[in-house]
């Protein structure tokens, strides 16, 4: 068996959306890291002869460092289950249904099972 989680959010157009996910739903720095990695921006300093698997990991790591140094927190409104809504400032926010994401980063080390 596997859990499926659901998240509701307001998109850039101001419309409410609901999405289901199995592993992790996130916004903030993680989306910027993926954009930098996909654009090839973070691969500029990696030698062309580097093995592809190593090159991919280095590219992701470089994009993570670049994004972390440039990140600015944003204010968001968060409501979990039936709890009251809270306003918080975050650079990255994720809802995890697993321990790892983004190339084996341990995002939720104490995930509850069962």
């Amino acid at each position: 068996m596997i859990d499926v989680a659901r998240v509701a959010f307001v998109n850039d157009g101001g419309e409410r959306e609901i999405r289901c996910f199995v592993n992790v739903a996130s916004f903030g720095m993680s989306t910027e890291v993926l954009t930098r990695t996909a654009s090839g921006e973070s691969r500029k300093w990696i030698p062309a002869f580097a093995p592809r698997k190593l090159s991919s990991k280095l590219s992701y790591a470089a994009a993570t460092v670049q994004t972390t140094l440039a990140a600015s927190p944003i204010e968001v409104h968060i409501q979990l289950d039936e709890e009251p809504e809270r306003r918080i400032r975050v650079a990255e926010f994720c809802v995890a249904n697993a321990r790892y994401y983004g190339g084996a980063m341990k995002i939720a080390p104490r995930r509850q099972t069962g």
Side-chain angles (χ1 to χ4, degrees), residues 14 21 31 45 60 65 67-68 76 81 87 89 97 101 107:
F21 64 94
T31 55
W45 61 273
Y60 191 88
V65 170
T67 301
T68 301
V76 296
D81 298 325
R87 290 173 27 179
R89 292 184 56 77
N97 197 23
Y101 88 138
I107 197 69

Side-chain angles (χ1 to χ4, degrees), residues 10-114:
V10 177
N11 66 22
D12 291 338
E15 300 167 338
R16 188 170 192 264
E17 290 190 38
I18 296 175
R19 301 266 173 87
C20 293
F21 64 94
V22 175
N23 193 28
V24 174
S26 66
F27 64 86
M29 290 184 355
S30 58
T31 55
E32 180 63 25
V33 169
L34 293 175
T35 300
R36 286 177 191 261
T37 303
S39 73
E41 178 182 334
S42 58
R43 293 178 193 237
K44 293 177 184 174
W45 61 273
I46 299 172
F49 58 83
R52 185 173 178 189
K53 189 170 186 172
L54 176 62
S55 176
S56 294
K57 286 186 182 275
L58 288 174
S59 176
Y60 191 88
T64 300
V65 170
Q66 291 168 337
T67 301
T68 301
L69 294 174
S72 296
I74 59 170
E75 187 170 287
V76 296
H77 300 253
I78 303 293
Q79 181 180 7
L80 302 173
D81 298 325
E82 302 304 318
E83 297 292 319
E85 183 178 282
R86 297 185 307 164
R87 290 173 27 179
I88 59 174
R89 292 184 56 77
V90 298
E92 170 70 2
F93 188 87
C94 69
V95 179
N97 197 23
R99 287 189 178 130
Y100 301 94
Y101 88 138
M105 283 191 283
K106 197 178 233 184
I107 197 69
R110 291 185 276 167
R111 179 183 161 263
Q112 300 297 314
T113 58

